Amino acid sequence: MFTVIYHSLLIGAALFVPIPFLDDRLATFLWKHMVSDLAKLHKRTLTREQILAFSYPARFAVSEGCLFVVKRLFREVLQEVLFFLEWRRAINLAADAYYSGYLLNELFAYEGFDTAKAGQYAVAMQKAKQGINTKLVQVVFRTQFRLSKGVLTAVVKWLSSITVEYAKVSWARRSGKKRDGPAEQQMETFFEMHRSRFQMLLKDLITNMQMGINALPQEHFEELRSKMFQEISQMENP
């Protein structure tokens, strides 16, 4: 589950990037990247639309209404305070990404997987997570985040550089100065260039996260998996 934990940590850390609104876009980009990487591991070929369908939780979770927008407007002044205010949100998003990644890994390994049903599978995943005690995984993330603030700070700095590059390319395209290739592709290229550095920074944290998750009741994840495949079965055999 290295890929799932790796991306979940990055997704949570992305919310600490001190660039209003673009940090949410970075979190969504990383979520789609997790979907893509897991699909490749299982030799599944997905279209952009299918990847987007499986990334729906990210697009929903990073939008929390007017209060959050107001917080963003004052971010430069209250950055240090808002870091702690967003701590819980980052942990919740990272945990949700882990649960989604776990289910995606199980889904892509499913022999009956059909890419044409991506939208239906995404709905089944969301239904499977309803009622699950997500606090179990949240506690693991919270504990490791607190014990690894130095590592998270370093990761956030590198993620910030990715976001800055994205902003530069987006601005250049909007102003008509550069039109060769989408801005998100530029972010993808930059992210891949520094993948080894991210993995090196997160190596010990990922190991500790895996140990913490392994200590959780296995029945918790078995129930989650069963709920998803029950939902899929009901879709395929109404």
Side-chain angles (χ1 to χ4, degrees):
M1 296 296 283
F2 175 90
T3 298
V4 176
I5 295 177
Y6 169 66
H7 283 91
S8 298
L9 289 170
L10 290 178
I11 289 167
L15 297 190
F16 296 123
V17 171
I19 304 176
F21 305 106
L22 288 181
D23 54 351
D24 284 348
R25 184 162 292 186
L26 177 60
T28 302
F29 161 78
L30 290 168
W31 199 299
K32 290 190 291 186
H33 200 278
M34 176 177 71
V35 174
S36 179
D37 272 13
L38 286 171
K40 290 175 183 175
L41 283 175
H42 292 279
K43 296 180 172 56
R44 304 295 187 184
T45 302
L46 302 177
T47 64
R48 283 188 179 184
E49 291 73 20
Q50 290 164 346
I51 290 175
L52 192 62
F54 285 125
S55 304
Y56 172 77
R59 292 179 286 128
F60 177 79
V62 297
S63 177
E64 294 187 346
C66 295
L67 178 60
F68 183 67
V69 173
V70 171
K71 285 163 56 179
R72 290 306 178 83
L73 295 177
F74 292 95
R75 176 170 242 166
E76 290 187 9
V77 179
L78 303 174
Q79 181 177 335
E80 191 170 335
V81 175
L82 292 179
F83 178 88
F84 293 101
L85 292 178
E86 291 196 339
W87 186 262
R88 181 177 177 180
R89 180 169 173 260
I91 290 170
N92 290 346
L93 186 61
D96 190 33
Y98 179 83
Y99 280 113
S100 293
Y102 169 82
L103 288 176
L104 282 169
N105 190 59
E106 295 295 322
L107 179 61
F108 292 151
Y110 171 48
E111 289 185 4
F113 178 81
D114 183 354
T115 56
K117 299 179 180 178
Q120 294 174 298
Y121 291 148
V123 172
M125 287 172 55
Q126 286 302 98
K127 288 184 176 180
K129 288 189 293 182
Q130 293 175 3
I132 289 292
N133 182 14
T134 57
K135 290 183 179 180
L136 290 177
V137 171
Q138 287 174 9
V139 167
V140 178
F141 273 98
R142 183 179 297 111
T143 299
Q144 294 306 321
F145 272 28
R146 285 176 177 170
L147 295 174
S148 309
K149 289 184 179 179
V151 173
L152 287 177
T153 299
V155 169
V156 169
K157 286 181 179 179
W158 279 95
L159 287 175
S160 297
S161 65
I162 291 178
T163 310
V164 168
E165 288 299 314
Y166 175 86
K168 287 179 179 178
V169 174
S170 295
W171 177 256
R173 284 173 55 79
R174 288 182 181 180
S175 61
K177 296 178 181 178
K178 186 174 182 180
R179 297 184 179 276
D180 52 317
E184 187 162 313
Q185 184 57 48
Q186 298 292 329
M187 186 188 287
E188 173 73 26
T189 300
F190 193 82
F191 180 74
E192 288 300 326
M193 284 173 55
H194 298 284
R195 180 190 285 261
S196 60
R197 180 173 291 275
F198 282 125
Q199 291 181 347
M200 186 186 308
L201 286 171
L202 292 170
K203 180 180 179 181
D204 292 339
L205 179 52
I206 290 174
T207 299
N208 292 335
M209 279 293 307
Q210 187 65 71
M211 290 175 61
I213 289 174
N214 287 344
L216 298 177
Q218 187 61 33
E219 295 79 11
H220 176 65
F221 297 102
E222 291 176 353
E223 177 187 358
L224 182 64
R225 181 182 183 279
S226 294
K227 286 183 66 177
M228 179 182 70
F229 282 111
Q230 284 174 8
E231 292 291 339
I232 292 174
S233 178
Q234 290 176 9
M235 287 188 323
E236 295 179 338
N237 303 288

